[in-house]
Amino acid sequence: MNPWHYAVARNGFLYPFAICRIDSAITTKKDEGAELYTGIVVKEVVQQPVEGVTLYQGDCLKIMMEQPDNSVDGIITDPPYSSGGIHQNVKNQTTGQKYTSCNAINSFPDFPGDSRDQRSYAFWLSLWLSEAYRIAKPGAPICVFTDWRQYPVLSDVLQSAGFVWRGAYVWDKKNARPNKGKFRQTAEFVLWGSKGNMPSNDRGVGCLPGMSSCSVNKGGRFHQTGKPVELMKEIISIVEPGGTILDPFMGSGSTGVATVNSGRQFVGIEYTNHYFEVASQRLKKQPV
């Protein structure tokens, strides 16, 4: 293998990786937890805490590249927004500074990947969404969380990756921060679409609502930007019963908990050690 890789071609896209040097000495140490010079974790921890659940710890793009074509029935995920402010100096703050109230009772560890500017964020979205398209079965739905700032770029890249954009599901958080003299930012959005045509009569899915009102803290919190399980139960209902759901940004595992409780199969990927362990422990406690 050439030790200097400048691009990886997938799905007709050419992705430049400017200075990603991969030494053979490093790549042969996969089981020892070595890292590439780009900081991508080579070591992958794989767990199956309960039947029907497979969890990976590592960089989602690398792990997604190893998944077979047309292998999941739906993709439901909540990636880093790289939001929290209009200007880059605000985006560069820690996730705790951006997303945690100053009087918060519980403090959770920060998570990486949330300070990209708009061009790099769009490029990053194109990488993993293109892999998501390849992994999804024909007709499979995809649902991706975002906020009002990143709604436009996500809707563009979702389509450039190959998906048909079909709409936006609205989550009313109910207890969003007050904003004196301005409208309260009480909603986040789930942009959703499908891999090509999406049959409506033979998937076992009925008529679904277009929004949910659910407190951020409903059912307890396990992550700075975690979503309540009650909300995720509504979102995953778009995937056919008994199907397999992939979440490339698993976080503390709320999508997995909702998936297991619904009788569906779950594949989750998480980068950080802390949240991977939180998700694993939560899923071990679920009845199967």
Side-chain angles (χ1 to χ4, degrees):
M1 181 175 63
N2 189 325
W4 292 91
H5 281 219
Y6 292 98
V8 175
R10 298 300 294 251
N11 299 334
F13 291 88
L14 192 64
Y15 304 138
F17 294 125
I19 45 175
C20 177
R21 187 173 191 273
I22 308 176
D23 286 336
S24 59
I26 291 179
T27 56
T28 58
K29 292 183 179 179
K30 181 175 181 178
D31 293 335
E32 296 179 27
E35 294 185 355
L36 304 182
Y37 292 151
T38 52
I40 295 175
V41 175
V42 175
K43 179 181 178 183
E44 293 172 17
V45 176
V46 184
Q47 290 187 10
Q48 292 181 302
V50 293
E51 184 178 354
V53 173
T54 302
L55 306 181
Y56 296 89
Q57 185 191 352
D59 182 84
C60 78
L61 182 60
K62 179 181 182 296
I63 294 169
M64 291 174 77
M65 284 180 168
E66 296 171 350
Q67 304 304 305
D69 296 355
N70 306 317
S71 57
V72 300
D73 299 287
I75 297 168
I76 314 288
T77 196
D78 180 21
Y81 293 176
S82 283
S83 189
I86 297 174
H87 303 293
Q88 190 61 37
N89 64 325
V90 179
K91 287 189 177 187
N92 288 342
Q93 292 179 333
T94 68
T95 54
Q97 291 172 319
K98 289 189 288 186
Y99 303 129
T100 302
S101 173
C102 60
N103 60 352
I105 298 175
N106 296 315
S107 178
F108 302 102
D110 291 330
F111 56 90
D114 198 71
S115 58
R116 296 176 175 92
D117 64 21
Q118 287 304 94
R119 286 184 297 178
S120 60
Y121 185 67
F123 175 73
W124 175 75
L125 286 174
S126 73
L127 295 178
W128 69 264
L129 280 170
S130 295
E131 285 301 307
Y133 184 85
R134 179 186 61 79
I135 297 167
K137 294 179 181 179
I142 182 169
C143 300
V144 185
F145 278 84
T146 191
D147 68 358
W148 64 272
R149 296 183 183 92
Q150 303 294 34
Y151 189 121
V153 65
L154 176 58
S155 65
D156 289 343
V157 179
L158 188 70
Q159 296 172 86
S160 70
F163 291 100
V164 178
W165 181 28
R166 297 189 176 276
Y169 185 99
V170 179
W171 172 35
D172 173 14
K173 298 183 288 186
K174 298 179 73 171
N175 57 347
R177 298 178 188 176
N179 201 2
K180 188 173 182 179
K182 303 173 184 176
F183 291 116
R184 184 190 294 250
Q185 301 292 351
T186 191
E188 291 186 28
F189 307 94
V190 181
L191 301 196
W192 70 279
S194 65
K195 182 175 179 176
N197 184 44
M198 189 176 182
S200 57
N201 297 324
D202 58 353
R203 296 193 307 117
V205 178
C207 296
L208 305 175
M211 70 167 293
S212 291
S213 292
C214 180
S215 168
V216 173
N217 296 315
K218 185 96 182 247
R221 295 194 69 174
F222 304 88
H223 190 286
Q224 288 175 351
T225 61
K227 305 303 186 284
V229 172
E230 181 177 311
L231 170 67
M232 300 316 302
K233 287 180 180 178
E234 296 289 338
I235 304 296
I236 67 166
S237 62
I238 197 170
V239 179
E240 62 186 63
T244 298
I245 293 175
L246 168 67
D247 184 354
F249 303 93
M250 176 175 62
S252 59
S254 293
T255 302
V257 172
T259 299
V260 170
N261 289 340
S262 73
R264 296 172 173 86
Q265 315 298 303
F266 181 69
V267 178
I269 306 172
E270 172 55 31
Y271 185 86
T272 68
N273 294 332
H274 174 81
Y275 290 119
F276 179 82
E277 289 302 324
V278 170
S280 179
Q281 292 304 314
R282 291 180 73 193
L283 284 162
K284 285 178 180 178
K285 297 177 182 178
Q286 303 308 308
V288 293

